[in-house]
C-alpha cells in the first residue's frame, strides 16, 4: 500500500527533527526557544514543498540548508532589537554533558557574526564541504574559506588554551 504525502512527511520529520533542532541550537548560540521556532518554521516550509521533494536528491540536506537560510533571515530582521545575555541561565546538565564546555562553546559561538556562525556550523558541525557550504549560503567558495578562517581565529582567540583543558575531560 502506498504511503500518503502526510505519512511520508511525518516519517521524514520524525527522523530529522532532533538533528535540525541541534543545528538550530548551535546557530542560535543555545537559545532553545528560537531554535524551536526555526526548526518549526523549517519543517513547515518543508511540508509546503513536500509534493515537489521527489525532484530533490537529498531532502535532509535541503532541510539543513533551509534551516540556515531561515536563521539568517531571522537575524537580518531582528538584529537591531535583541541583545545577548551576559550569562546563560542555570539549567540541569543533560545526559552527562559537560556544562562548562557547553557554555564556553555557546558563548564563543555567540560572539561570531551570524554568517560566520553559519559557516562554522555547516562546515564543522554538519561536516559539509566548502562547496556545499557556499551553495547553502549563496556565496563563493572563497568567501566560505575566508569566513571559516576568520571565525576559527576568533574562536581560538576567545577560547584560548581553555578548549584544550575541556577536551581532555
Amino acid at each position: 500500500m502506498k504511503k500518503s504525502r502526510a505519512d511520508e512527511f511525518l516519517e521524514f520529520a520524525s527522523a530529522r527533527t532532533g538533528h535540525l533542532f541541534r543545528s538550530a541550537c548551535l546557530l542560535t548560540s543555545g537559545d532553545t526557544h528560537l531554535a524551536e521556532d526555526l526548526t518549526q518554521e523549517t519543517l513547515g516550509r518543508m511540508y509546503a514543498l513536500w509534493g515537489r521533494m521527489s525532484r530533490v536528491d537529498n531532502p535532509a540536506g535541503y532541510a539543513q540548508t533551509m534551516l540556515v537560510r531561515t536563521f539568517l533571515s531571522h537575524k537580518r530582521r531582528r538584529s537591531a532589537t535583541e541583545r545577548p545575555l551576559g550569562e546563560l541561565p542555570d539549567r540541569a546538565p543533560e545526559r552527562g554533558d559537560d556544562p562548562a564546555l557547553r557554555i564556553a562553546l555557546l558563548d564563543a559561538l555567540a560572539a561570531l557574526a551570524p554568517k560566520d556562525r553559519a559557516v562554522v556550523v555547516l562546515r564543522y558541525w554538519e561536516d559539509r564541504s566548502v562547496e556545499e557550504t557556499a551553495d547553502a549560503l549563496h556565496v563563493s567558495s572563497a568567501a566560505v574559506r575566508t569566513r571559516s578562517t576568520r571565525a576559527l581565529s576568533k574562536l581560538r582567540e576567545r577560547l584560548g588554551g581553555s578548549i584544550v583543558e575541556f577536551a581532555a575531560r
Side-chain angles (χ1 to χ4, degrees):
M1 183 172 173
K2 187 175 180 179
K3 290 183 183 178
S4 71
R5 175 179 173 229
D7 290 338
E8 288 175 355
F9 179 76
L10 185 58
E11 184 179 312
F12 169 81
S14 296
R16 297 301 303 169
T17 298
H19 190 75
L20 287 170
F21 178 72
R22 286 187 297 277
S23 293
C25 282
L26 290 172
L27 287 168
T28 62
S29 301
D31 184 346
T32 57
H33 298 291
L34 178 56
E36 288 172 351
D37 291 345
L38 293 174
T39 302
Q40 186 64 35
E41 187 171 342
T42 299
L43 289 173
R45 289 179 180 183
M46 287 293 292
Y47 183 75
L49 298 171
W50 195 250
R52 294 180 272 169
M53 291 312 271
S54 62
R55 293 180 279 190
V56 174
D57 292 334
N58 183 0
Y62 189 84
Q64 285 299 132
T65 298
M66 190 178 288
L67 174 71
V68 170
R69 289 180 183 162
T70 301
F71 164 72
L72 292 173
S73 293
H74 175 80
K75 292 307 284 184
R76 278 191 296 269
R77 284 192 309 256
R78 305 196 50 169
S79 63
T81 61
E82 293 184 344
R83 300 286 179 237
L85 297 174
E87 296 178 12
L88 292 176
D90 290 336
R91 299 188 275 197
E94 300 173 20
R95 297 188 320 257
D97 291 340
D98 183 355
L101 175 60
R102 177 182 292 264
I103 290 171
L105 291 175
L106 289 176
D107 283 346
L109 280 172
L112 297 176
K115 284 190 177 182
D116 289 348
R117 193 176 326 145
V119 166
V120 169
V121 169
L122 288 173
R123 288 280 293 129
Y124 302 104
W125 172 257
E126 295 294 325
D127 198 28
R128 290 191 185 192
S129 69
V130 171
E131 292 75 23
E132 290 170 332
T133 303
D135 185 48
L137 297 175
H138 293 298
V139 296
S140 69
S141 295
V144 169
R145 286 190 292 274
T146 300
R147 285 190 177 278
S148 179
T149 301
R150 180 180 21 191
L152 290 176
S153 174
K154 286 180 183 177
L155 287 174
R156 280 187 203 100
E157 181 181 302
R158 179 142 174 114
L159 294 171
S162 65
I163 195 66
V164 175
E165 83 181 41
F166 287 126
R169 291 183 187 174

